[in-house]
Amino acid sequence: MTRPAMLEPAEAYALWASSYPAYAHNPVMQVEERAMLGLMPSTLQGQAVLDVGCGSGRYMLHALRRGATRVIGVDLSPQMLKRAGTELATFQPDTEVDLVQGGLAALPVPDARANLTICGLVIGHLESLEQSLAELCRVTRPGGTLLCSDVHPIGHALGWVRDFKSDGRRYVVRHTQHLYSHWHAACATLGLRIEQVLEPRLDPADIPDGAHFDRMALEVPVALVFQLSRAS
């Protein structure tokens, strides 16, 4: 069997964007999203929310449904931003929505812009965890909250990959393993407080009948989810 080509994130999401829905579309994303939404405030009235690596806009839509006053989405891929724009156009709240192209390594966002910063399943695409968290901290207001998630590092050890198909071909997106100890050290350096850590497991009810997957995935955590706070 031919091994799938490994792509850098920008190239991968350019191919993936046309078929990438604005909702959690596989069992890992579903369990990750439930954990993230459980940590997100139930109401975001009067809040500015920044979604870094917004993709097709799934967390922006959740923020809008919870009453966010301003929502900003940043993504490296113009193709994904176009997809997000299409999805968000169907939502007509009295809210300011901005979509900006840029990467997590150097966000095109002013300091202290957001009350809540979200970064879902993105940080593993970058090698430097500390640099990524430093940027997320910079754009979050003092006293604000960061919600971050990544594929659990145990998956990397078991050989799991983030893959997709485009025009009948299978591709893998480059991903870097970041251990909990790496998160702890980076947060300590940056003055970010770890408020909660979740390690959700797959829900068998989410797995489609006949799906082919590593059965070990039912025995171990599949995502690592953090609620962080920036010091006031």
Side-chain angles (χ1 to χ4, degrees), residues 35-59:
M36 290 279 277
L37 293 181
L39 296 176
M40 184 185 294
S42 59
T43 178
L44 293 168
Q45 294 288 341
Q47 303 288 297
V49 177
L50 170 63
D51 186 359
V52 177
C54 64
S56 53
R58 65 182 175 121
Y59 281 122

Side-chain angles (χ1 to χ4, degrees), residues 176-208:
T176 298
Q177 181 191 56
H178 298 303
L179 302 177
Y180 173 76
S181 60
H182 300 158
W183 283 82
H184 189 276
C187 288
T189 298
L190 297 168
L192 286 170
R193 179 174 177 179
I194 299 175
E195 301 288 353
Q196 292 194 65
V197 183
L198 303 179
E199 296 179 286
R201 298 188 179 196
L202 288 182
D203 184 342
D206 292 331
I207 300 172

Side-chain angles (χ1 to χ4, degrees), residues 28-93:
V28 172
M29 292 181 71
Q30 288 169 330
V31 73
E32 174 266 348
E33 184 173 283
R34 282 194 289 270
M36 290 279 277
L37 293 181
L39 296 176
M40 184 185 294
S42 59
T43 178
L44 293 168
Q45 294 288 341
Q47 303 288 297
V49 177
L50 170 63
D51 186 359
V52 177
C54 64
S56 53
R58 65 182 175 121
Y59 281 122
M60 297 178 72
L61 289 167
H62 283 298
L64 290 171
R65 294 182 187 115
R66 296 190 183 199
T69 300
R70 183 178 187 188
V71 175
I72 307 163
V74 178
D75 202 278
L76 186 64
S77 168
Q79 294 86 358
M80 291 296 278
L81 286 174
K82 182 178 180 181
R83 186 65 186 267
T86 299
E87 298 290 345
L88 291 163
T90 64
F91 198 99
Q92 300 293 333

